[in-house]
Amino acid sequence: MLSRTASILIPVVGRLSVTCDPGAVFAPGSIVAANHTSLADPAVVIAALRRLGVTPVIMATAGLWRIPVLGRALTREGHIPVHRRDRRAAGALDLAAQALRQERLVLIYAEGGLPRRKDGAEAAPGDFRTGLARLAERTGVPVVPVGQVGARRVTSGGTLKQIAGLATAPLRRPAMHVHVGAPILLTGDSTVRTAQARTAVTAAWRTAATHLGEDAAPAA
């Protein structure tokens, strides 16, 4: 349902384009890692993946499960709530590993949160948390890096600005782009694996930024 809904809504609020590296494939049971810049980018990424025939399990903040209709849909479709800074956080990796063993694809946002900037500008992915590296080490599956640009043109900043952005997006029709990189196998300890994943997602982000003519600034 989420993939279908995103595929319907995203063309209403903007113009989405998708590109892939020549070696980009989604093998069953892969981790999909994307950069996180806006409340809108999960829908952007999901819509892009649906175009490519992919409907992943999503690891998302547990707060979404408190929204009555959405929460029931997330549970029904097997998506995974992430309880940040909570003793239940480790359980999300258990559920993700189980989904990977079932050969489902798992979409993870390794930055663990949104940037604090109020403007709509793009920037390279921030620091990654270690969950992605630990999940990859535990399961041995490949990681498919995904970079998205343009979601901040739909909505970013404070609450009022975000509401205004969503309301005016169908008139403005901002451009959005998602680029899928070739899968990689992470190696080394948790720190090295985390750095490898961030580098790969940053490369995909930079390709997407270049496609839209954004300033592809270096990683922080």
Side-chain angles (χ1 to χ4, degrees):
M1 185 194 79
L2 288 181
S3 292
R4 290 195 302 271
T5 301
S7 295
I8 293 169
L9 291 179
I10 289 302
V12 173
V13 301
R15 296 168 287 119
L16 174 63
S17 53
V18 183
T19 54
C20 300
D21 280 347
V25 293
F26 294 95
S30 296
I31 298 170
V32 181
N35 65 310
H36 198 18
T37 63
S38 164
L39 291 175
D41 69 59
V44 173
V45 172
I46 294 168
L49 293 178
R50 183 173 171 83
R51 287 191 187 181
L52 301 173
V54 174
T55 53
V57 172
I58 304 162
M59 298 184 72
T61 179
L64 296 175
W65 272 255
R66 293 195 291 268
I67 302 173
V69 175
L70 177 60
R72 287 195 295 272
L74 291 169
T75 298
R76 183 176 63 250
E77 297 182 13
H79 301 294
I80 300 170
V82 179
H83 299 269
R84 296 191 179 96
R85 302 177 183 88
D86 187 292
R87 59 184 175 81
R88 294 171 291 177
L93 292 184
D94 293 337
L95 293 173
Q98 180 180 343
L100 292 168
R101 287 195 296 270
Q102 295 169 347
E103 297 193 336
R104 301 192 70 180
L105 283 87
V106 174
L107 172 60
I108 185 171
Y109 289 91
E111 291 161 277
L114 294 169
R116 296 182 179 180
R117 300 189 330 275
K118 301 297 185 182
D119 61 88
E122 296 289 339
D127 292 337
F128 276 20
R129 298 179 184 272
T130 61
L132 168 58
R134 288 185 284 130
L135 181 61
E137 181 176 16
R138 177 174 171 178
T139 59
V141 303
V143 175
V144 181
V146 172
Q148 63 77 28
V149 169
R152 292 184 65 82
R153 297 177 177 182
V154 177
T155 180
S156 59
T159 301
L160 291 178
K161 184 180 178 183
Q162 291 194 44
I163 293 172
L166 285 172
T168 60
L171 299 175
R172 296 183 289 112
R173 296 197 49 76
M176 300 165 284
H177 189 79
V178 173
H179 181 77
V180 180
I184 61 171
L185 285 173
L186 305 183
T187 59
D189 62 21
S190 179
T191 300
V192 173
R193 289 170 182 263
T194 299
Q196 290 171 349
R198 185 187 180 197
T199 297
V201 173
T202 299
W205 166 82
R206 185 169 287 110
T207 299
T210 301
H211 188 91
L212 289 191
E214 293 278 357
D215 180 19

